[in-house]
Amino acid sequence: MRVGILGSGLMGGKLGTIFARAGQEVIFSYARSQEKLKRLAQGAKGRARAATPREAAQDADALLLAVHWSRIEDVLNQTGDLSGKVIVSCSLPMNADDTGLVIAHSSSGSEELAKMVPKARVVSAFNTVPSEVLFGVYEARRKATRPSLVYCGDDESGKQVAAELIRDVGFDPVDAGPLRIARYTEPFALLVAELAYEGEGGPELAYRFERFGK
Ligand SMILES: NC(=O)c1ccc[n+]([C@@H]2O[C@H](COP(=O)([O-])OP(=O)(O)OC[C@H]3O[C@@H](n4cnc5c(N)ncnc54)[C@H](OP(=O)(O)O)[C@@H]3O)[C@@H](O)[C@H]2O)c1
């Protein structure tokens, strides 16, 4: 599949690199310098290139949205029409200083995003994991026990695409249901971040969310 990366920072840079190594074709876009996008594409060691958000959106089968909440409007303006596109969003609706969620309880960032692009197929995924663990999970992907990763969305084919990308990274995808479940997974992501960055266990403790009974 061809995956467009909208936001090539900590999450987008790492996930895009892993998708390319897993065999997907990746288009890195949306960073402050074109040089950085080119460096990421070269370093991905797979089929990867740098492009504008518009090119990434036009050419991709699926898009990973990985920008700060304050940049969503800007990136969506740059992509143009996203009708029919699968958007896998790891973006959390954080305030400017990243101390809290600006949307919670009665809605979620993912649901608000879906309202902004009503003809796109939005799936919420990857936001419950700290970027620091992604390469480690990928390296360990052939081990018998894989850490789980929850995702949610309203479009079944979009969710299948997200599940494939989650497997590519080395997680066991857990379908948490419709997009409104993001009201619970997004606050959960803050707990994960608290454990990863403030707690004593570090990121490796935070991502080991597993299903019982397996
Ligand atoms: N980091 C995590 O562990 C983590 C975990 C779960 C969820 N999330 C969520 O994932 C999303 C992305 O987080 P992140 O940590 O990957 O953020 P990040 O490292 O800051 O990446 C954001 C990307 O947006 C680009 N950008 C910012 N302002 C721009 C502008 N004016 N023009 C063009 N590009 C611009 C940045 O460019 P540069 O590369 O040039 O800086 C960067 O590539 C956020 O919503 C966050 O809440 C993050």
mmCIF file of all heavy atoms in Angstrom, residues 100-141:
data_model
loop_
_atom_site.group_PDB
_atom_site.id
_atom_site.type_symbol
_atom_site.label_atom_id
_atom_site.label_comp_id
_atom_site.label_asym_id
_atom_site.label_seq_id
_atom_site.Cartn_x
_atom_site.Cartn_y
_atom_site.Cartn_z
ATOM 1 N N GLY A 100 -2.795 19.190 28.665
ATOM 2 C CA GLY A 100 -4.118 18.590 28.799
ATOM 3 C C GLY A 100 -4.853 18.520 27.475
ATOM 4 O O GLY A 100 -4.426 19.090 26.469
ATOM 5 N N LEU A 101 -5.972 17.764 27.514
ATOM 6 C CA LEU A 101 -6.791 17.619 26.309
ATOM 7 C C LEU A 101 -7.750 18.805 26.195
ATOM 8 O O LEU A 101 -8.326 19.226 27.199
ATOM 9 C CB LEU A 101 -7.611 16.323 26.403
ATOM 10 C CG LEU A 101 -6.815 15.008 26.398
ATOM 11 C CD1 LEU A 101 -7.711 13.843 26.828
ATOM 12 C CD2 LEU A 101 -6.230 14.734 25.019
ATOM 13 N N VAL A 102 -7.925 19.320 25.003
ATOM 14 C CA VAL A 102 -8.884 20.412 24.810
ATOM 15 C C VAL A 102 -10.268 19.862 24.453
ATOM 16 O O VAL A 102 -11.242 20.595 24.443
ATOM 17 C CB VAL A 102 -8.412 21.434 23.739
ATOM 18 C CG1 VAL A 102 -7.205 22.207 24.226
ATOM 19 C CG2 VAL A 102 -8.109 20.757 22.402
ATOM 20 N N ILE A 103 -10.327 18.577 24.125
ATOM 21 C CA ILE A 103 -11.611 17.915 23.859
ATOM 22 C C ILE A 103 -11.599 16.605 24.637
ATOM 23 O O ILE A 103 -10.622 15.861 24.567
ATOM 24 C CB ILE A 103 -11.786 17.591 22.362
ATOM 25 C CG1 ILE A 103 -11.714 18.870 21.527
ATOM 26 C CG2 ILE A 103 -13.106 16.865 22.101
ATOM 27 C CD1 ILE A 103 -11.440 18.611 20.057
ATOM 28 N N ALA A 104 -12.673 16.346 25.377
ATOM 29 C CA ALA A 104 -12.740 15.072 26.116
ATOM 30 C C ALA A 104 -14.174 14.830 26.567
ATOM 31 O O ALA A 104 -15.030 15.709 26.447
ATOM 32 C CB ALA A 104 -11.808 15.095 27.324
ATOM 33 N N HIS A 105 -14.422 13.631 27.068
ATOM 34 C CA HIS A 105 -15.684 13.200 27.674
ATOM 35 C C HIS A 105 -16.846 13.107 26.689
ATOM 36 O O HIS A 105 -17.302 12.021 26.380
ATOM 37 C CB HIS A 105 -16.082 14.103 28.854
ATOM 38 C CG HIS A 105 -14.997 14.211 29.873
ATOM 39 N ND1 HIS A 105 -14.449 13.121 30.478
ATOM 40 C CD2 HIS A 105 -14.346 15.297 30.365
ATOM 41 C CE1 HIS A 105 -13.507 13.507 31.311
ATOM 42 N NE2 HIS A 105 -13.417 14.826 31.253
ATOM 43 N N SER A 106 -17.342 14.246 26.177
ATOM 44 C CA SER A 106 -18.515 14.184 25.308
ATOM 45 C C SER A 106 -18.134 14.098 23.832
ATOM 46 O O SER A 106 -18.995 13.911 22.975
ATOM 47 C CB SER A 106 -19.427 15.392 25.543
ATOM 48 O OG SER A 106 -18.668 16.564 25.364
ATOM 49 N N SER A 107 -16.852 14.249 23.533
ATOM 50 C CA SER A 107 -16.355 14.033 22.176
ATOM 51 C C SER A 107 -14.868 13.687 22.271
ATOM 52 O O SER A 107 -14.332 13.506 23.366
ATOM 53 C CB SER A 107 -16.577 15.273 21.301
ATOM 54 O OG SER A 107 -16.245 14.973 19.945
ATOM 55 N N SER A 108 -14.221 13.598 21.112
ATOM 56 C CA SER A 108 -12.785 13.265 21.091
ATOM 57 C C SER A 108 -12.160 13.983 19.905
ATOM 58 O O SER A 108 -12.864 14.424 18.985
ATOM 59 C CB SER A 108 -12.608 11.753 20.936
ATOM 60 O OG SER A 108 -13.183 11.331 19.710
ATOM 61 N N GLY A 109 -10.845 14.075 19.899
ATOM 62 C CA GLY A 109 -10.161 14.678 18.769
ATOM 63 C C GLY A 109 -10.487 13.933 17.475
ATOM 64 O O GLY A 109 -10.706 14.544 16.430
ATOM 65 N N SER A 110 -10.536 12.605 17.566
ATOM 66 C CA SER A 110 -10.780 11.807 16.359
ATOM 67 C C SER A 110 -12.172 12.078 15.783
ATOM 68 O O SER A 110 -12.343 12.167 14.564
ATOM 69 C CB SER A 110 -10.635 10.319 16.677
ATOM 70 O OG SER A 110 -9.363 10.094 17.223
ATOM 71 N N GLU A 111 -13.174 12.218 16.672
ATOM 72 C CA GLU A 111 -14.526 12.514 16.173
ATOM 73 C C GLU A 111 -14.595 13.916 15.571
ATOM 74 O O GLU A 111 -15.265 14.132 14.551
ATOM 75 C CB GLU A 111 -15.535 12.394 17.319
ATOM 76 C CG GLU A 111 -15.786 10.961 17.746
ATOM 77 C CD GLU A 111 -16.483 10.918 19.099
ATOM 78 O OE1 GLU A 111 -15.795 11.105 20.132
ATOM 79 O OE2 GLU A 111 -17.704 10.738 19.135
ATOM 80 N N GLU A 112 -13.905 14.870 16.197
ATOM 81 C CA GLU A 112 -13.911 16.238 15.659
ATOM 82 C C GLU A 112 -13.188 16.265 14.317
ATOM 83 O O GLU A 112 -13.589 16.976 13.402
ATOM 84 C CB GLU A 112 -13.257 17.211 16.650
ATOM 85 C CG GLU A 112 -14.030 17.345 17.963
ATOM 86 C CD GLU A 112 -15.522 17.679 17.760
ATOM 87 O OE1 GLU A 112 -15.815 18.625 17.014
ATOM 88 O OE2 GLU A 112 -16.376 16.969 18.336
ATOM 89 N N LEU A 113 -12.116 15.484 14.199
ATOM 90 C CA LEU A 113 -11.402 15.389 12.921
ATOM 91 C C LEU A 113 -12.352 14.837 11.846
ATOM 92 O O LEU A 113 -12.404 15.354 10.728
ATOM 93 C CB LEU A 113 -10.180 14.473 13.080
ATOM 94 C CG LEU A 113 -9.460 14.082 11.795
ATOM 95 C CD1 LEU A 113 -8.776 15.293 11.168
ATOM 96 C CD2 LEU A 113 -8.434 12.980 12.065
ATOM 97 N N ALA A 114 -13.104 13.801 12.200
ATOM 98 C CA ALA A 114 -14.032 13.193 11.235
ATOM 99 C C ALA A 114 -15.075 14.211 10.765
ATOM 100 O O ALA A 114 -15.506 14.172 9.605
ATOM 101 C CB ALA A 114 -14.703 11.966 11.849
ATOM 102 N N LYS A 115 -15.445 15.145 11.644
ATOM 103 C CA LYS A 115 -16.400 16.188 11.230
ATOM 104 C C LYS A 115 -15.739 17.162 10.247
ATOM 105 O O LYS A 115 -16.388 17.709 9.380
ATOM 106 C CB LYS A 115 -16.901 16.968 12.450
ATOM 107 C CG LYS A 115 -17.870 16.185 13.304
ATOM 108 C CD LYS A 115 -18.324 17.040 14.482
ATOM 109 C CE LYS A 115 -18.908 16.177 15.578
ATOM 110 N NZ LYS A 115 -18.913 16.839 16.873
ATOM 111 N N MET A 116 -14.418 17.380 10.417
ATOM 112 C CA MET A 116 -13.712 18.317 9.516
ATOM 113 C C MET A 116 -13.563 17.723 8.121
ATOM 114 O O MET A 116 -13.485 18.444 7.147
ATOM 115 C CB MET A 116 -12.302 18.615 10.062
ATOM 116 C CG MET A 116 -12.264 19.410 11.342
ATOM 117 S SD MET A 116 -10.523 19.566 11.869
ATOM 118 C CE MET A 116 -10.692 19.482 13.634
ATOM 119 N N VAL A 117 -13.457 16.391 8.037
ATOM 120 C CA VAL A 117 -13.278 15.714 6.734
ATOM 121 C C VAL A 117 -14.353 14.621 6.622
ATOM 122 O O VAL A 117 -14.050 13.428 6.649
ATOM 123 C CB VAL A 117 -11.854 15.116 6.588
ATOM 124 C CG1 VAL A 117 -10.850 16.186 6.241
ATOM 125 C CG2 VAL A 117 -11.404 14.398 7.858
ATOM 126 N N PRO A 118 -15.629 15.052 6.473
ATOM 127 C CA PRO A 118 -16.736 14.091 6.577
ATOM 128 C C PRO A 118 -16.715 12.979 5.546
ATOM 129 O O PRO A 118 -17.296 11.919 5.781
ATOM 130 C CB PRO A 118 -17.989 14.980 6.414
ATOM 131 C CG PRO A 118 -17.517 16.271 5.865
ATOM 132 C CD PRO A 118 -16.082 16.433 6.230
ATOM 133 N N LYS A 119 -16.040 13.194 4.408
ATOM 134 C CA LYS A 119 -16.041 12.140 3.387
ATOM 135 C C LYS A 119 -14.816 11.234 3.490
ATOM 136 O O LYS A 119 -14.649 10.319 2.682
ATOM 137 C CB LYS A 119 -16.130 12.763 1.995
ATOM 138 C CG LYS A 119 -17.497 13.406 1.773
ATOM 139 C CD LYS A 119 -17.628 13.945 0.376
ATOM 140 C CE LYS A 119 -19.011 14.543 0.182
ATOM 141 N NZ LYS A 119 -19.012 15.579 -0.847
ATOM 142 N N ALA A 120 -13.938 11.497 4.457
ATOM 143 C CA ALA A 120 -12.773 10.628 4.656
ATOM 144 C C ALA A 120 -13.141 9.530 5.655
ATOM 145 O O ALA A 120 -14.176 9.593 6.316
ATOM 146 C CB ALA A 120 -11.596 11.446 5.165
ATOM 147 N N ARG A 121 -12.296 8.514 5.733
ATOM 148 C CA ARG A 121 -12.556 7.388 6.640
ATOM 149 C C ARG A 121 -11.526 7.440 7.766
ATOM 150 O O ARG A 121 -10.370 7.031 7.582
ATOM 151 C CB ARG A 121 -12.470 6.080 5.857
ATOM 152 C CG ARG A 121 -13.525 6.037 4.748
ATOM 153 C CD ARG A 121 -13.470 4.777 3.949
ATOM 154 N NE ARG A 121 -12.472 4.816 2.913
ATOM 155 C CZ ARG A 121 -11.995 3.731 2.300
ATOM 156 N NH1 ARG A 121 -12.409 2.537 2.657
ATOM 157 N NH2 ARG A 121 -11.106 3.845 1.356
ATOM 158 N N VAL A 122 -11.944 7.992 8.904
ATOM 159 C CA VAL A 122 -10.993 8.263 9.994
ATOM 160 C C VAL A 122 -10.906 7.069 10.948
ATOM 161 O O VAL A 122 -11.928 6.533 11.389
ATOM 162 C CB VAL A 122 -11.414 9.531 10.781
ATOM 163 C CG1 VAL A 122 -10.526 9.737 12.005
ATOM 164 C CG2 VAL A 122 -11.377 10.756 9.863
ATOM 165 N N VAL A 123 -9.676 6.675 11.238
ATOM 166 C CA VAL A 123 -9.417 5.633 12.241
ATOM 167 C C VAL A 123 -8.453 6.225 13.264
ATOM 168 O O VAL A 123 -7.483 6.888 12.897
ATOM 169 C CB VAL A 123 -8.782 4.370 11.605
ATOM 170 C CG1 VAL A 123 -8.576 3.283 12.657
ATOM 171 C CG2 VAL A 123 -9.632 3.854 10.463
ATOM 172 N N SER A 124 -8.738 6.011 14.519
ATOM 173 C CA SER A 124 -7.860 6.489 15.591
ATOM 174 C C SER A 124 -6.941 5.338 16.004
ATOM 175 O O SER A 124 -7.413 4.266 16.394
ATOM 176 C CB SER A 124 -8.738 6.923 16.772
ATOM 177 O OG SER A 124 -7.951 7.358 17.835
ATOM 178 N N ALA A 125 -5.629 5.559 15.884
ATOM 179 C CA ALA A 125 -4.668 4.484 16.218
ATOM 180 C C ALA A 125 -3.300 5.069 16.519
ATOM 181 O O ALA A 125 -3.013 6.211 16.144
ATOM 182 C CB ALA A 125 -4.546 3.499 15.048
ATOM 183 N N PHE A 126 -2.483 4.325 17.166
ATOM 184 C CA PHE A 126 -1.083 4.665 17.473
ATOM 185 C C PHE A 126 -0.942 5.783 18.511
ATOM 186 O O PHE A 126 0.181 6.129 18.861
ATOM 187 C CB PHE A 126 -0.286 5.074 16.208
ATOM 188 C CG PHE A 126 -0.074 3.954 15.222
ATOM 189 C CD1 PHE A 126 -0.650 4.005 13.961
ATOM 190 C CD2 PHE A 126 0.695 2.847 15.561
ATOM 191 C CE1 PHE A 126 -0.464 2.972 13.049
ATOM 192 C CE2 PHE A 126 0.896 1.815 14.658
ATOM 193 C CZ PHE A 126 0.313 1.881 13.397
ATOM 194 N N ASN A 127 -2.062 6.375 18.980
ATOM 195 C CA ASN A 127 -1.885 7.487 19.925
ATOM 196 C C ASN A 127 -1.706 7.011 21.366
ATOM 197 O O ASN A 127 -1.394 7.810 22.240
ATOM 198 C CB ASN A 127 -3.032 8.513 19.806
ATOM 199 C CG ASN A 127 -4.397 7.864 19.848
ATOM 200 O OD1 ASN A 127 -4.524 6.744 20.327
ATOM 201 N ND2 ASN A 127 -5.402 8.551 19.352
ATOM 202 N N THR A 128 -1.881 5.708 21.597
ATOM 203 C CA THR A 128 -1.709 5.195 22.959
ATOM 204 C C THR A 128 -0.302 4.648 23.190
ATOM 205 O O THR A 128 -0.063 3.929 24.164
ATOM 206 C CB THR A 128 -2.721 4.061 23.237
ATOM 207 O OG1 THR A 128 -2.561 3.072 22.225
ATOM 208 C CG2 THR A 128 -4.145 4.577 23.229
ATOM 209 N N VAL A 129 0.617 4.984 22.291
ATOM 210 C CA VAL A 129 1.966 4.427 22.427
ATOM 211 C C VAL A 129 3.003 5.550 22.330
ATOM 212 O O VAL A 129 2.884 6.438 21.498
ATOM 213 C CB VAL A 129 2.179 3.329 21.348
ATOM 214 C CG1 VAL A 129 2.163 3.893 19.953
ATOM 215 C CG2 VAL A 129 3.439 2.559 21.575
ATOM 216 N N PRO A 130 4.014 5.555 23.209
ATOM 217 C CA PRO A 130 5.058 6.573 23.104
ATOM 218 C C PRO A 130 5.970 6.279 21.911
ATOM 219 O O PRO A 130 6.315 5.120 21.669
ATOM 220 C CB PRO A 130 5.839 6.441 24.419
ATOM 221 C CG PRO A 130 5.207 5.353 25.199
ATOM 222 C CD PRO A 130 4.234 4.629 24.334
ATOM 223 N N SER A 131 6.375 7.312 21.210
ATOM 224 C CA SER A 131 7.178 7.109 19.991
ATOM 225 C C SER A 131 8.486 6.371 20.295
ATOM 226 O O SER A 131 9.007 5.646 19.452
ATOM 227 C CB SER A 131 7.489 8.448 19.326
ATOM 228 O OG SER A 131 8.328 9.232 20.143
ATOM 229 N N GLU A 132 8.978 6.515 21.515
ATOM 230 C CA GLU A 132 10.271 5.911 21.888
ATOM 231 C C GLU A 132 10.296 4.391 21.742
ATOM 232 O O GLU A 132 11.356 3.805 21.573
ATOM 233 C CB GLU A 132 10.632 6.241 23.344
ATOM 234 C CG GLU A 132 11.194 7.616 23.555
ATOM 235 C CD GLU A 132 10.134 8.692 23.606
ATOM 236 O OE1 GLU A 132 8.938 8.384 23.371
ATOM 237 O OE2 GLU A 132 10.488 9.844 23.852
ATOM 238 N N VAL A 133 9.134 3.754 21.833
ATOM 239 C CA VAL A 133 9.150 2.283 21.818
ATOM 240 C C VAL A 133 8.980 1.693 20.416
ATOM 241 O O VAL A 133 9.125 0.488 20.225
ATOM 242 C CB VAL A 133 8.050 1.679 22.738
ATOM 243 C CG1 VAL A 133 8.143 2.256 24.130
ATOM 244 C CG2 VAL A 133 6.669 1.866 22.159
ATOM 245 N N LEU A 134 8.659 2.542 19.439
ATOM 246 C CA LEU A 134 8.230 1.996 18.143
ATOM 247 C C LEU A 134 9.293 1.117 17.473
ATOM 248 O O LEU A 134 8.989 0.016 17.006
ATOM 249 C CB LEU A 134 7.806 3.138 17.212
ATOM 250 C CG LEU A 134 6.542 3.884 17.678
ATOM 251 C CD1 LEU A 134 6.318 5.141 16.847
ATOM 252 C CD2 LEU A 134 5.314 2.979 17.610
ATOM 253 N N PHE A 135 10.547 1.585 17.432
ATOM 254 C CA PHE A 135 11.579 0.766 16.774
ATOM 255 C C PHE A 135 11.812 -0.539 17.543
ATOM 256 O O PHE A 135 12.034 -1.585 16.940
ATOM 257 C CB PHE A 135 12.887 1.549 16.626
ATOM 258 C CG PHE A 135 12.859 2.566 15.511
ATOM 259 C CD1 PHE A 135 13.147 3.893 15.757
ATOM 260 C CD2 PHE A 135 12.535 2.190 14.208
ATOM 261 C CE1 PHE A 135 13.106 4.839 14.722
ATOM 262 C CE2 PHE A 135 12.488 3.122 13.173
ATOM 263 C CZ PHE A 135 12.782 4.450 13.438
ATOM 264 N N GLY A 136 11.741 -0.471 18.873
ATOM 265 C CA GLY A 136 11.933 -1.677 19.689
ATOM 266 C C GLY A 136 10.841 -2.705 19.420
ATOM 267 O O GLY A 136 11.126 -3.911 19.313
ATOM 268 N N VAL A 137 9.604 -2.248 19.297
ATOM 269 C CA VAL A 137 8.494 -3.159 19.001
ATOM 270 C C VAL A 137 8.700 -3.773 17.618
ATOM 271 O O VAL A 137 8.502 -4.976 17.416
ATOM 272 C CB VAL A 137 7.134 -2.415 19.086
ATOM 273 C CG1 VAL A 137 5.991 -3.290 18.594
ATOM 274 C CG2 VAL A 137 6.864 -1.974 20.522
ATOM 275 N N TYR A 138 9.142 -2.950 16.673
ATOM 276 C CA TYR A 138 9.377 -3.461 15.305
ATOM 277 C C TYR A 138 10.479 -4.526 15.307
ATOM 278 O O TYR A 138 10.343 -5.587 14.689
ATOM 279 C CB TYR A 138 9.731 -2.306 14.374
ATOM 280 C CG TYR A 138 9.981 -2.755 12.951
ATOM 281 C CD1 TYR A 138 8.941 -3.289 12.183
ATOM 282 C CD2 TYR A 138 11.248 -2.665 12.382
ATOM 283 C CE1 TYR A 138 9.164 -3.716 10.885
ATOM 284 C CE2 TYR A 138 11.472 -3.089 11.079
ATOM 285 C CZ TYR A 138 10.431 -3.621 10.335
ATOM 286 O OH TYR A 138 10.652 -4.052 9.058
ATOM 287 N N GLU A 139 11.557 -4.247 16.044
ATOM 288 C CA GLU A 139 12.668 -5.209 16.103
ATOM 289 C C GLU A 139 12.217 -6.548 16.690
ATOM 290 O O GLU A 139 12.708 -7.604 16.313
ATOM 291 C CB GLU A 139 13.831 -4.661 16.947
ATOM 292 C CG GLU A 139 14.528 -3.420 16.375
ATOM 293 C CD GLU A 139 15.033 -3.619 14.950
ATOM 294 O OE1 GLU A 139 15.491 -4.734 14.648
ATOM 295 O OE2 GLU A 139 14.931 -2.672 14.148
ATOM 296 N N ALA A 140 11.258 -6.483 17.638
ATOM 297 C CA ALA A 140 10.810 -7.705 18.339
ATOM 298 C C ALA A 140 9.581 -8.337 17.698
ATOM 299 O O ALA A 140 8.950 -9.213 18.283
ATOM 300 C CB ALA A 140 10.504 -7.353 19.801
ATOM 301 N N ARG A 141 9.247 -7.931 16.460
ATOM 302 C CA ARG A 141 7.951 -8.323 15.875
ATOM 303 C C ARG A 141 7.802 -9.818 15.645
ATOM 304 O O ARG A 141 6.681 -10.301 15.508
ATOM 305 C CB ARG A 141 7.713 -7.564 14.556
ATOM 306 C CG ARG A 141 8.683 -7.942 13.439
ATOM 307 C CD ARG A 141 8.634 -6.932 12.308
ATOM 308 N NE ARG A 141 9.590 -7.228 11.253
ATOM 309 C CZ ARG A 141 10.896 -7.002 11.316
ATOM 310 N NH1 ARG A 141 11.434 -6.479 12.416
ATOM 311 N NH2 ARG A 141 11.683 -7.307 10.314
#
